[in-house]
Amino acid sequence: QWKYCNFHTADIAYSVKKLSISDQNQVRKAINGHNDVSHGSQYKYRRKGLLDRITHIRPSRGTVILPQKEALEFIEILKKEFKIAINF
């Protein structure tokens, strides 16, 4: 994690409140990833999300601080795939 934030970072706030519950879960899983089980909980593994491959800070739910380059990619994915309103 970073020790401090500077002008090379972007603060992004997003909200999924207007989506249905199933769509909210789909967005959260795509962003954060999730632990999955199969075959009667015999196999457990991690499904990676978008933030698993990006260095980030999560100060609160729905807020992410990202490096500037990754922020643009993150915003495009949220807008294109999930049609989520974003503030930064």
Side-chain angles (χ1 to χ4, degrees), residues 1-2 4-5 9-14 31-32 51 55-67 74 87:
Q1 298 285 343
W2 304 314
Y4 60 91
C5 297
T9 62
D11 301 346
I12 301 171
Y14 61 92
I31 293 172
N32 303 320
L51 292 178
T55 303
H56 66 282
I57 297 173
R58 302 246 355 215
S60 65
R61 184 182 301 171
T63 306
V64 183
I65 301 174
L66 299 169
F74 184 79
N87 298 318

Side-chain angles (χ1 to χ4, degrees), residues 28-35 46-52:
R28 286 191 185 109
K29 286 179 180 180
I31 293 172
N32 303 320
H34 66 283
N35 295 322
R46 172 94 181 139
R47 296 221 186 244
K48 294 192 177 200
L50 182 60
L51 292 178
D52 286 329

Side-chain angles (χ1 to χ4, degrees), residues 2 19 21 23 29 31 35-36 42-44 48 51 54 62-65 67 71 79-81 84 86:
W2 304 314
L19 300 175
I21 298 297
D23 289 341
K29 286 179 180 180
I31 293 172
N35 295 322
D36 203 356
Q42 185 175 3
Y43 302 106
K44 298 177 184 178
K48 294 192 177 200
L51 292 178
I54 298 174
T63 306
V64 183
I65 301 174
K79 283 184 178 179
K80 190 184 284 185
E81 292 187 22
I84 295 176
I86 299 170

Side-chain angles (χ1 to χ4, degrees), residues 14-28 31 78-79 81-85:
Y14 61 92
S15 176
V16 295
K17 289 182 181 179
K18 293 184 179 181
L19 300 175
S20 67
I21 298 297
S22 63
D23 289 341
Q24 288 179 17
N25 290 334
Q26 184 179 9
V27 169
R28 286 191 185 109
I31 293 172
L78 288 182
K79 283 184 178 179
E81 292 187 22
F82 301 111
K83 297 175 179 59
I84 295 176

